[in-house]
Amino acid sequence: MDTIGIEALEAGDILLMMGEGPLSDLIAWASDGVYSHAGIVVEGGELVEASLGGVRRYPLARRAVEFEHFHFIDAWRPQDGSGAFAAADRALVCAHAGDLLGAPYPVDQLALFGAVMAVRGKWPVHPLARRLVRIALDRALPSESPGMVCSEVVYRAWAECGAQPRGRMAPPIVEGRRGTAPFPAIDWKRLAEEIGPVLFPKAPAGLRSAGQADAALLLRDVVDPSDAALEDAREQVLARLAGPGSLRAASAGAGAGLDHRPNPRLVSPQDLANSPATRLLGRVMHRAAG
C-alpha cells in the first residue's frame, strides 16, 4: 500500500484506523474487517471524531504519530460517478461535521461493538466473549439518543450535509459477506481494565482498580447467554434503532442486505471502506512491528 503524508489529505477525506487494545480487535473481528475507528478530515489540519469526551476536533499531525494508540491509519476519499467531489461540496460536509461537535452524550467503543454485533450477529463460542457481546448489545444506542459512535459521525457528515437533494453525497453502504476469521486472542485482564472505567465511571478517585475489578466480576459472573438470548437482544437493538427519522429502518434478518441509506447508528468503520463510493488513497501511519 502507498504511504502518504497528511499534506496530501483534503477536507472531507475519511481516516479509518485500527486501534490498540482488545475492544479494537473485537470491533474489527465483528465487522469482518481491519478497522475499529473513524474520523473525518476538516480544514485547519484537523479531524473531527467521536471520543469518550464527545465529538471533537483533533490535530492530524498529532494523530499521525500516535503509535502507542493505533496500529495503522488509512485515508479514503469519497467520490461520485465522475470522480472526487468539488471543493464546494466538501465544504458543506465539513460544515456539517462542525455542527456535530460537542454531542452532549458521548459514547464508547462498547456501543460501536454492540451496533456491529446487532448487524452481523456473529456469536462467539468463548463464554466470556458471549457475556461481553450481551453487555455491548445493551450499550448500543437508541435512535433518539444524541450520542454518536465514530463511524456515525463520519457518515452523517457526508449524508446529512447541506447538499441538495438531501443525501446526494451519502456514501452507499453495502453488506459484505460474513467472514470466517478466527476469534481474536483476547487478554481478558486487559479488557477488564479497558472497559472498567466505561461501565463504572463513578469509581472514587484513587480507586482506579475498582471499576476494573467490577468489570472482571461482571464478565465472570454473568450467566453464559444462549444463542437464542443473544438473538433476542439483537432483535431488541434493531427494533430500537428503527425509530422515526432514521435514514433507514434497520433490517433484523440475519441475511438481510443493507441498502444504500442505512440507519447511521449501524454504519461501522469497515462499512465506510467497503462503500463503492470511497477510494483508498494510502496509509498515513503504520506502526512498526515488534
Side-chain angles (χ1 to χ4, degrees):
M1 182 185 299
D2 292 337
T3 300
I4 64 171
I6 59 174
E7 69 279 357
L9 301 177
E10 296 181 354
D13 286 347
I14 296 171
L15 295 185
L16 299 179
M17 315 166 214
M18 181 58 199
E20 170 67 27
L23 269 179
S24 293
D25 293 340
L26 288 169
I27 290 167
W29 171 81
S31 55
D32 294 309
V34 296
Y35 300 117
S36 64
H37 185 60
I40 184 169
V41 176
V42 294
E43 70 287 338
E46 295 184 308
L47 68 136
V48 168
E49 64 179 353
S51 73
L52 196 57
V55 180
R56 66 179 182 181
R57 295 175 71 107
Y58 196 80
L60 282 171
R62 186 185 304 174
R63 177 54 47 82
V65 295
E66 289 182 331
F67 299 105
E68 72 276 22
H69 298 308
F70 297 93
H71 291 277
F72 53 82
I73 301 173
D74 295 339
W76 294 75
R77 181 163 294 166
Q79 55 190 14
D80 61 14
S82 59
F85 286 98
D89 283 337
R90 288 185 280 109
L92 293 173
V93 173
C94 291
H96 191 51
D99 293 340
L100 301 177
L101 290 170
Y105 296 101
V107 297
D108 53 82
Q109 284 195 302
L110 269 178
L112 175 58
F113 182 44
V116 172
M117 292 304 298
V119 172
R120 307 301 284 179
K122 293 172 54 176
W123 310 137
V125 175
H126 195 293
L128 288 180
R130 294 170 69 87
R131 294 167 196 172
L132 180 65
V133 168
R134 185 65 185 83
I135 294 168
L137 287 168
D138 284 341
R139 292 186 73 85
L141 294 173
S143 293
E144 64 271 14
S145 169
M148 296 184 196
V149 296
C150 60
S151 38
E152 177 184 356
V153 171
V154 174
Y155 182 84
R156 283 185 183 274
W158 275 93
E160 299 176 353
C161 69
Q164 295 298 322
R166 182 175 183 270
R168 171 172 63 86
M169 296 193 294
I173 299 298
V174 296
E175 183 178 14
R177 294 192 177 191
R178 186 173 298 174
T180 58
F183 189 77
I186 297 297
D187 182 335
W188 295 102
K189 179 177 182 296
R190 186 178 177 189
L191 179 65
E193 293 173 350
E194 188 174 355
I195 69 174
V198 172
L199 293 176
F200 306 99
K202 295 183 178 180
L207 297 177
R208 184 172 180 271
S209 63
Q212 298 161 4
D214 288 340
L217 289 171
L218 183 60
L219 286 173
R220 188 189 70 189
D221 293 342
V222 172
V223 175
D224 185 6
S226 65
D227 282 0
L230 290 174
E231 186 62 32
D232 181 65
R234 174 179 182 251
E235 296 285 349
Q236 292 182 41
V237 171
L238 292 171
R240 292 201 309 269
L241 289 171
S246 302
L247 291 181
R248 169 185 169 273
S251 174
L258 297 176
D259 65 22
H260 73 288
R261 300 296 287 279
N263 186 314
R265 302 282 192 213
L266 299 178
V267 175
S268 72
Q270 189 63 42
D271 286 331
L272 297 169
N274 292 346
S275 173
T278 58
R279 175 174 65 89
L280 178 62
L281 298 177
R283 184 148 288 180
V284 175
M285 180 267 268
H286 192 168
R287 185 172 72 190

